[in-house]
């Protein structure tokens, strides 16, 4: 084994970065044996020097991030600060310095992956990002390599642990969104500002990355239709229970009939018979449908310092091995350049919950309103609801076959004109 | 893209091979785009030329396997004939011809991997074998690369679909092993000679491969303690139900306290709370415990032509990409050279079912027999059984904490001397 150490710069030393630093030191000999050469952590870029960082040599710390990644002797740069800037400049500069890059930055890759992968390709270095999606669950590599000889038709999953924890609480304890969110924040599963999680931005970035990999195309954050869970009510949760289903925030990318890519993040009723329905707490899971492999499911911790660091370390060793052999792994594969399905045209099953006057002919009228828009129904549930000012009311739960969002919307506009409709209908996607 | 085609030889054209041939032809353009160069199937080695092979050009067929893989213009060889010979000679000759090899041959790799990986390393070619374990489930690559920066502590799974189908039938229908096997054979889930599956040889080969990868050591088939499911009775299945568990054939490799590798295949009571307990029918699943990543689970179709072919195609594209870039992937990693835990010393939880005379003092005597061998108990269940010739009998179900097989055996020898013991105790491993 050559003794000359591979020089590693770590940018970011928070929850994840500090774990990465710990593992590089702890596993030193093992990593050297697995890579063929030892690693040397030459610097750690941080925002504040004064913080206590147990086990970390203060002399490694610097606030000059660009200076750190501009060193001409770097082999590998790990970026775990997240966000767009300065992460973007740090990574591009690292690539200029001919270092391979390992990042967990889903937001950056989903919004600006093209520039980064292009620069890496030109410089002949690797950019690995297993940690960017579903934490410790190996999903990037299986899509990039294991399934690369197959034809993936759909990738869907629970890729945000915070929202899964909240929805789990709402389902198991009948808690409201607000109460479940408060508990998640109290337990550290949600940030003080939970917007990125509960509004689905985090999941949407991951959906864009998964969609691009699965379908060998470039998919950007703006291509992803997005709906968070802030609007999920206790009534929705009760409806789901009644339909023997569970509400999950599902990120889904699938091939539309016209071969375009339909990609979105939506709170979705998942039938309890589906493996994704039972994914607990803050876990993540990815479900893949492939023409030849059939159905595959991957489950594991989707966040947290150690799991995310584990994924980063796997990429680090792989990039380092390439370095030792003087090669780079295969780059981004976007040859098929598929179009994105226009939002309104994306197909899904839908569940529509309607409060209607409990009178003869109402059900028939509702059914024909759907039929008029070519939305075919696979199940209808009716139950007596409270008595309203104008007499008894009924709750209708309507489950549709695959239909376009636009057709369902048009149906709801029609129903809105009907005198028997009370209040606003609630609509959720459905996965069988 | 360079047009010059990469030359591929396929050895074996049965259930899996014919699907591989189909996919190479069907996905031609996609594969070319993903690899950077098109593939050309230059020959297919078969045993009998006269068989009908729809969609396959008869001119490609040859019975001269060694002749086919001796061509000096080969880039890639796919071996799907299975078994030791002639597969071994075919692969070694292919490597001599400087071709990279993709194989699904677990038996060969588990018994003679050293020679094959050594030859590949020396020749600078790849040997990939994702399809050798758990069919289409990506598990080799995640262990080799995704988790290579972490410290795996245990890998366990259901890696044989035939036995899982049989045990599933026994549990769901109360069928006997013989009846469940007959149904599996009728449905094509079990071979006419089911020995390799039901006696655990197939699972043991996969366990050896997983153990070697997980712990960076060389693990051979003979290192794996093996117990099939032919001895699993309806009583065992009933006991499992009573303990809120399910019997699965579990292949498990874990690190012993002394850092040696404990690896075995055994029918095991798996608590229903464990994700492996609910893996249905002919599915496979692998459960990984890693120091930093935590618990990961992978599930999918474990066998069948298309799923296995999908795994082979993933390896084929990856090996072909390496070929195009003039490199080989990282070889076998066995640096840590761990010892194998002697069979008797391997630790496991155990469930022991005893039929005893229903008399005062018997439970105390049984408990002290375990205690005398330092086997601590985590649960005991007693229920009245049928009345025997010498009075009423009781069925004792004893669940132990982690203990060595040897200690449990010694306990049973002691109990065998007790007058109150009726018949032979039944013993199963337990996973909580």
């Amino acid at each position: 084994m050559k003794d000359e150490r591979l020089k590693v710069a770590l940018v970011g030393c928070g929850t994840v970065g500090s774990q990465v630093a710990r593992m590089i030191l702890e596993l030193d000999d093992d990593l050297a044996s697995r890579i063929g050469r030892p690693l040397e952590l030459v610097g750690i870029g941080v925002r504040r020097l004064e913080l206590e960082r147990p086990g970390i040599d203060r002399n490694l710390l610097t606030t000059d991030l660009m200076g750190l990644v501009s060193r001409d002797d770097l082999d590998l740069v790990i970026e775990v600060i997240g966000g767009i800037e300065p992460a973007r400049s740090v990574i591009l500069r690292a690539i200029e310095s001919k270092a391979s890059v390992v990042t967990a930055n889903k937001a950056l890759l989903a919004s600006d992956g093209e520039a980064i992968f292009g620069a890496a390709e030109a410089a002949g270095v690797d950019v690995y990002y297993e940690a960017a999606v579903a934490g410790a669950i190996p999903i990037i590599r299986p899509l990039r390599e294991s399934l690369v000889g197959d034809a993936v038709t759909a990738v869907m999953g629970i890729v945000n642990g915070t929202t899964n924890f909240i929805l789990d609480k709402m389902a198991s304890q009948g808690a409201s969104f607000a109460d479940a969110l408060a508990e998640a924040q109290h337990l550290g599963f949600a940030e003080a500002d939970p917007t990125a999680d509960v509004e689905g931005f985090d999941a949407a970035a991951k959906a864009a990355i998964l969609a691009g990999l699965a379908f060998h195309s470039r998919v950007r954050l703006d291509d992803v239709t997005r709906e968070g869970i802030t609007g999920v009510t206790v009534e929705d949760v009760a409806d789901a229970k009644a339909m023997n289903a569970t509400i999950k925030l599902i990120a889904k990318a699938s091939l539309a009939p016209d071969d375009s890519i339909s990609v979105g993040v939506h709170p979705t009723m998942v039938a309890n018979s589906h493996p994704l329905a039972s994914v607990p707490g803050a876990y993540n899971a990815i479900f893949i449908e492939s023409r030849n492999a059939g159905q595959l499911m991957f489950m594991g911790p989707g966040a947290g310092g150690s799991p995310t660091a584990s994924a980063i370390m796997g990429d680090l060793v792989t990039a380092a091995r390439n370095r030792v052999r003087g090669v780079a792994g295969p780059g981004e594969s976007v040859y098929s350049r598929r179009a994105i399905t226009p939002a309104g045209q994306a197909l899904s099953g839908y569940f529509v919950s309607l409060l209607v006057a409990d009178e003869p002919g109402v059900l028939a009228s509702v059914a024909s309103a759907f039929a008029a828009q070519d939305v075919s129904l696979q199940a209808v549930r009716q139950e007596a609801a409270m008595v309203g000012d104008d007499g008894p009311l009924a709750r209708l739960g309507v489950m549709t076959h695959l239909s376009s969002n636009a057709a369902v919307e048009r149906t709801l506009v029609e129903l809105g004109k009907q005198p028997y409709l009370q209040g606003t209908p609630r609509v959720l996607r459905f996965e069988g």
Side-chain angles (χ1 to χ4, degrees), chain A residues 183-432:
Chain A
E183 181 174 359
Q185 286 171 318
H186 176 69
L187 295 172
F189 285 119
E191 318 256 332
D193 173 0
T195 311
D197 291 319
V198 299
E199 294 296 357
F201 291 101
D202 172 81
K206 293 163 176 172
I209 292 171
L210 290 174
L213 280 167
F215 303 118
H216 299 272
S217 298
R218 186 162 289 121
V219 179
R220 296 168 45 89
L221 182 54
D222 338 348
D223 296 327
V224 183
T225 59
R226 182 189 48 75
E227 181 187 355
I229 65 166
T230 54
V232 177
T233 64
V234 288
E235 291 76 15
D236 295 329
V237 172
D239 281 336
K241 272 213 179 65
M243 303 302 291
N244 195 22
T246 307
I247 297 180
K248 298 289 191 182
L249 184 65
I250 296 294
K252 181 176 183 179
S254 57
L255 279 189
D258 67 355
D259 252 20
S260 64
I261 300 172
S262 165
V263 53
V265 171
H266 301 275
T268 304
M269 264 195 197
V270 181
N272 289 336
S273 55
H274 193 292
L276 287 176
S278 50
V279 174
Y283 269 72
N284 278 198
I286 311 266
F287 186 82
I288 298 179
E289 286 180 332
S290 184
R291 194 187 302 159
N292 298 294
Q295 301 184 323
L296 301 170
M297 162 114 160
F298 305 71
M299 188 167 120
S306 294
T308 308
S310 168
I312 287 169
M313 293 301 291
D315 281 348
L316 185 69
V317 170
T318 304
R321 282 173 166 176
N322 288 347
R323 202 82 178 173
V324 167
R325 292 177 299 121
V327 304
E332 195 193 17
S333 166
V334 293
Y335 72 90
S336 71
R337 296 189 170 61
R338 298 175 188 274
I340 302 296
T341 316
Q345 289 167 38
L347 297 181
S348 174
Y350 285 90
F351 175 82
V352 181
S353 180
L354 305 156
L355 190 61
V356 297
D358 194 353
E359 302 160 354
V362 167
L363 181 54
S365 163
V366 169
S368 48
F370 280 96
Q373 303 298 335
D374 285 327
V375 178
S376 71
L377 309 184
Q378 67 167 291
V380 175
R381 199 178 98 259
Q382 169 163 4
E383 62 187 19
M386 82 288 273
V387 174
D389 310 344
D390 317 331
L393 300 175
R395 166 72 58 189
L396 282 184
V398 176
M399 196 167 301
T400 78
H401 285 295
L402 279 190
S403 16
S404 77
N405 192 2
V408 171
E409 288 303 331
R410 286 195 300 269
T411 309
L412 293 177
V413 170
E414 268 319 299
L415 288 171
K417 301 175 186 166
Q418 305 303 324
Y420 56 73
L421 183 75
Q422 310 285 313
T424 329
R426 287 179 281 109
V427 183
L428 283 168
R429 285 162 194 244
F430 184 86
E431 283 291 339

Side-chain angles (χ1 to χ4, degrees), chain A residues 40-92:
Chain A
E40 178 184 0
L41 189 52
V42 297
I44 303 178
V46 296
R47 213 178 307 124
R48 281 164 304 168
L49 289 170
E50 64 279 10
L51 287 187
E52 257 324 307
R53 305 179 194 275
I56 287 179
D57 176 358
R58 286 190 158 289
N59 302 322
L60 290 177
L61 302 180
T62 172
T63 55
D64 177 12
L65 307 188
M66 294 305 281
L68 174 60
V69 297
S70 302
R71 291 172 54 141
D72 57 9
D73 62 346
L74 288 181
D75 294 291
L76 302 144
V77 170
I78 302 165
E79 181 274 314
V80 284
I81 47 180
I84 303 303
E85 282 296 350
R88 185 177 184 284
S89 309
V90 162
I91 289 177
L92 289 173

Side-chain angles (χ1 to χ4, degrees), chain A residues 76-203:
Chain A
L76 302 144
V77 170
I78 302 165
E79 181 274 314
V80 284
I81 47 180
I84 303 303
E85 282 296 350
R88 185 177 184 284
S89 309
V90 162
I91 289 177
L92 289 173
R93 176 63 63 83
I95 293 170
E96 273 174 45
S97 312
K98 295 277 180 283
S100 284
V101 173
V102 177
T103 175
N105 197 324
K106 61 224 146 221
L108 178 59
L109 293 178
S111 61
D112 212 4
E114 184 167 4
I116 287 160
F117 292 119
E121 193 88 46
V125 300
D126 291 320
V127 173
Y128 286 131
Y129 51 97
E130 184 65 76
V133 181
I137 306 173
I139 186 62
I140 304 299
R141 196 163 274 109
L143 277 172
R144 258 172 99 134
E145 297 177 21
S146 308
L147 287 162
V148 73
D150 200 343
V152 174
T153 52
V155 183
M156 72 175 162
I158 294 165
V159 294
N160 179 274
T162 303
T163 45
N164 199 55
F165 176 90
I166 292 171
L167 291 170
D168 207 1
K169 287 290 165 198
M170 292 177 70
S172 59
Q173 302 173 0
S176 71
F177 169 76
D179 294 347
L181 170 59
E183 181 174 359
Q185 286 171 318
H186 176 69
L187 295 172
F189 285 119
E191 318 256 332
D193 173 0
T195 311
D197 291 319
V198 299
E199 294 296 357
F201 291 101
D202 172 81

